[in-house]
Amino acid sequence: MKPIELPWLVIRSSAWPLSFKINRRVPLVLLGLTVATLLVMVWSVSYGEYPIAPLDVIKSILGLPTTNPDDGFVINTLRLPRVIVAFLVGTGLAIAGTILQGLTRNPLASPEIVGVQAGAGLAAVALIVLFPSLPAFALPIAAFAGALVAALLVYGLAWDRGAAPIRLILVGVGVAAIASALSSLLITFGNIEDVSQALVWLAGSVYGRTWEHVQALLPWLGVFIPLSLLCARDLNTLHLGDEVARGLGVPIERQRGLLLITCVALSGASVATAGTIGFVGLMSPHLARQLVGPAHEGLLPTAALVGGLMVALADFLGRSLFAPIELPCGVITAVVGAPYFFYLLYRNRNA
């Protein structure tokens, strides 16, 4: 009799109280996405006014000598930080979107819905337009503070002996609309030079990002991505509904608050680094779900790689499609994401 093949891989640690299971397709999908991401990143680094062969890019990154001694400066100082920032920002936005869709049980949820990106955008625009003389390092701090205030405002207004998912979404839409309106008001009456800078930031771009931006973003991802993976099992349970989760012994409000903080931290840090790159948090979970299924143990890392690949590819396309004119990567993701959003609306019209 032929044995039944189980679709799951169960991973347990004898040293740590850690046990989880993932779909058997997850390792293969993660490997494929990793290879595709590395190819896009090498391709992107090699492209520019000073073209460099992909093999020389790999040699330079590994510290090996190349045919031109200038390659190291161009690759490691000018281009590589930008590509890495694009990947990291996409990773953070994708995981934030996956958590939000799981928490709200709504396939249309994303960091934009709960007002996080709009709050960060309002704070950044206010800083650029009202205080243009402040140093550049104040911009990501203001953006993160704006995202945090918006999330706390949404959570506080939605609280009524608990934060029901539908209230979070409705309040989030309202806060996002108010923040966007205030941003438009500031842009309308601002100085034309400051307004131009604010509009580029709002469009979402990784232009000019350096190793300092990478170093500023990595601690956030290093703390909150592992935390999101540890909460994956509870996220599966919360996705079944409050009554089921409560019956299974999950402390609902504590876990929901922890996951919301994780979502805000990842999306706020990403927006603070690269501006409001839209639709990544919306599309990545859906694409990842089609690859590995709905279990969050495999869905979260898959969505992270999908988001990172998406932003890295969008940045490359923005630089190359209309060269020498450069489009912000947020414009590319919006061009792809807007039709996808309408497709999701149509598919879920009766849900």
Side-chain angles (χ1 to χ4, degrees):
M1 181 177 177
K2 186 177 180 181
I4 300 175
E5 185 180 356
L6 297 176
W8 301 99
L9 285 174
V10 179
I11 300 174
R12 290 193 177 94
S13 171
S14 58
W16 300 89
L18 184 65
S19 174
F20 60 93
K21 64 178 184 179
I22 57 175
N23 192 293
R24 285 184 179 275
R25 288 177 295 174
V26 171
L28 189 60
V29 170
L30 293 180
L31 178 62
L33 288 171
T34 301
V35 172
T37 302
L38 291 176
L39 289 175
V40 169
M41 293 174 77
V42 170
W43 194 16
S44 181
V45 171
S46 69
Y47 177 81
E49 293 184 5
Y50 177 77
I52 302 173
L55 183 59
D56 287 339
V57 171
I58 297 173
K59 284 183 177 179
S60 183
I61 293 174
L62 296 177
L64 301 174
T66 60
T67 55
N68 192 327
D70 294 334
D71 288 351
F73 173 77
V74 175
I75 292 171
N76 296 315
T77 303
L78 300 181
R79 296 181 184 173
L80 188 58
R82 171 177 180 157
V83 174
I84 292 177
V85 164
F87 172 76
L88 294 179
V89 165
T91 298
L93 291 175
I95 291 185
T98 306
I99 291 174
L100 210 53
Q101 289 183 10
L103 273 181
T104 60
R105 302 191 296 278
N106 189 321
L108 302 178
S110 67
E112 299 97 309
I113 295 296
V114 296
V116 172
Q117 291 199 12
L122 173 60
V125 169
L127 191 76
I128 293 171
V129 174
L130 300 178
F131 308 99
S133 60
L134 287 179
F137 69 82
L139 182 61
I141 298 174
F144 180 76
L148 184 60
V149 170
L152 291 176
L153 187 62
V154 170
Y155 199 73
L157 292 175
W159 181 268
D160 182 16
R161 291 174 294 180
I166 188 64
R167 283 201 302 273
L168 282 174
I169 291 179
L170 293 176
V171 174
V173 169
V175 170
I178 293 172
S180 298
L182 292 175
S183 297
S184 300
L185 185 65
L186 289 171
I187 288 173
T188 302
F189 294 102
N191 179 278
I192 185 63
E193 294 182 0
D194 301 330
V195 166
S196 299
Q197 184 185 353
L199 288 175
V200 170
W201 193 89
L202 284 175
S205 173
V206 291
Y207 175 78
R209 298 304 182 267
T210 63
W211 288 113
E212 283 74 19
H213 293 94
V214 176
Q215 293 170 358
L217 183 57
L218 272 180
W220 294 94
L221 302 186
V223 171
F224 288 100
I225 288 180
L227 182 60
S228 67
L229 295 175
L230 290 175
C231 295
R233 182 184 292 177
D234 288 338
L235 193 53
N236 287 335
T237 309
L238 289 171
H239 189 64
L240 298 175
D242 288 359
E243 294 301 323
V244 175
R246 191 175 289 110
L248 293 173
V250 175
I252 295 175
E253 296 305 333
R254 190 184 72 185
Q255 288 304 104
R256 183 176 287 152
L258 183 62
L259 286 163
L260 270 179
I261 290 173
T262 304
C263 172
V264 169
L266 290 174
S267 56
S270 300
V271 172
T273 303
T276 51
I277 301 176
F279 296 104
V280 177
L282 176 70
M283 290 189 292
S284 300
H286 286 281
L287 298 175
R289 206 171 283 117
Q290 292 177 356
L291 292 173
V292 299
H296 286 88
E297 290 90 341
L299 180 61
L300 284 167
T302 305
L305 284 179
V306 170
L309 173 61
M310 190 181 299
V311 178
L313 183 60
D315 179 51
F316 171 70
L317 293 176
R319 291 167 51 210
S320 59
L321 282 179
F322 302 100
I325 298 173
E326 184 172 314
L327 296 178
C329 56
V331 174
I332 303 297
T333 60
V335 169
V336 178
Y340 191 78
F341 178 68
F342 286 116
Y343 161 72
L344 290 176
L345 279 177
Y346 176 77
R347 196 179 69 176
N348 295 280
R349 62 191 185 281
N350 296 323

